Amino acid sequence: MNTFFSSSALKSVTEHLPEKLIASAGVSGVVSALGIHVQLLGVFFLLELLDVLTRWIALSAQLWKDMYPQTPGTVWQYMKFIYQGHRWRRINSEAMRNQFISKISTYCIILLFTSLCDLAMRIAGGPAISVLLPIVTAVLCCTELLSCLENLAEAGVSVAQELKAIVQKKKESIK
């Protein structure tokens, strides 16, 4: 008999229910306490993944140009060529992994210090909202975006160079 609520399914849900509820409350409490910081770290994680991907595209584009100097490639061809770059050891995942971990660690430390500074200002009677976190976040986001645009410009994407100049001006206006 295939029913939606079978006794074995109900038993597995209710088994160790108190422990599951406590663990769930603990996880949701930590996420709630960290809230915006966890979300920011998730966003920076994704931004950094995109930065690594665009770096691979740039390296793959260079490999393509070395192999097929007479045939201009497209971004899609460069993306498909990443695998070949790994096979030929022109794209090194170990170096990318070290860079990725280093950047994410740096962002964690910067966001922690920024949040503590905002907290200190609130304790001292300053504004109830975060003052520094939005500014620091904007600068870090612009930095990652610039890195991605530089990689795409290196791969030969013409609009990336134009966008890079616009984002650079915006980043300078934030500072």
Side-chain angles (χ1 to χ4, degrees):
M1 179 172 163
N2 191 4
T3 62
F4 186 71
F5 291 108
S6 69
S7 62
S8 64
L10 187 58
K11 183 180 177 187
S12 72
V13 168
T14 58
E15 193 173 321
H16 304 291
L17 187 61
E19 292 91 348
K20 290 178 182 177
L21 289 174
I22 290 170
S24 171
V27 168
S28 64
V30 168
V31 169
S32 175
L34 296 176
I36 190 170
H37 302 96
V38 171
Q39 293 174 6
L40 282 173
L41 289 175
V43 168
F44 283 122
F45 182 84
L46 292 174
L47 286 172
E48 189 56 34
L49 281 178
L50 289 173
D51 186 30
V52 168
L53 176 65
T54 57
R55 186 70 204 135
W56 285 351
I57 291 171
L59 293 170
S60 177
Q62 186 58 50
L63 179 61
W64 178 277
K65 291 170 187 171
D66 291 347
M67 291 189 61
Y68 310 109
Q70 303 301 324
T71 309
T74 64
V75 173
W76 181 245
Q77 287 172 318
Y78 300 154
M79 289 176 73
K80 292 191 308 187
F81 213 59
I82 289 172
Y83 175 74
Q84 196 66 36
H86 278 286
R87 279 189 43 211
W88 292 343
R89 307 274 188 239
R90 295 278 297 268
I91 297 175
N92 185 348
S93 294
E94 183 67 29
M96 295 293 186
R97 187 171 30 255
N98 290 339
Q99 174 189 353
F100 180 84
I101 291 170
S102 173
K103 273 189 169 181
I104 289 296
S105 300
T106 302
Y107 290 163
C108 285
I109 292 168
I110 290 171
L111 291 174
L112 175 66
F113 285 144
T114 304
S115 298
L116 289 173
C117 289
D118 277 342
L119 177 62
M121 285 191 285
R122 279 194 297 275
I123 291 170
I129 60 169
S130 292
V131 176
L132 297 174
L133 191 59
I135 296 168
V136 170
T137 302
V139 170
L140 291 176
C141 286
C142 285
T143 301
E144 279 306 306
L145 180 57
L146 282 170
S147 179
C148 290
L149 290 172
E150 287 169 357
N151 292 334
L152 291 174
E154 187 179 324
V157 178
S158 59
V159 72
Q161 192 66 34
E162 297 168 23
L163 289 172
K164 189 175 111 180
I166 294 168
V167 173
Q168 186 66 45
K169 285 181 188 175
K170 190 65 174 172
K171 181 180 175 186
E172 293 303 320
S173 72
I174 293 170
K175 291 181 177 181

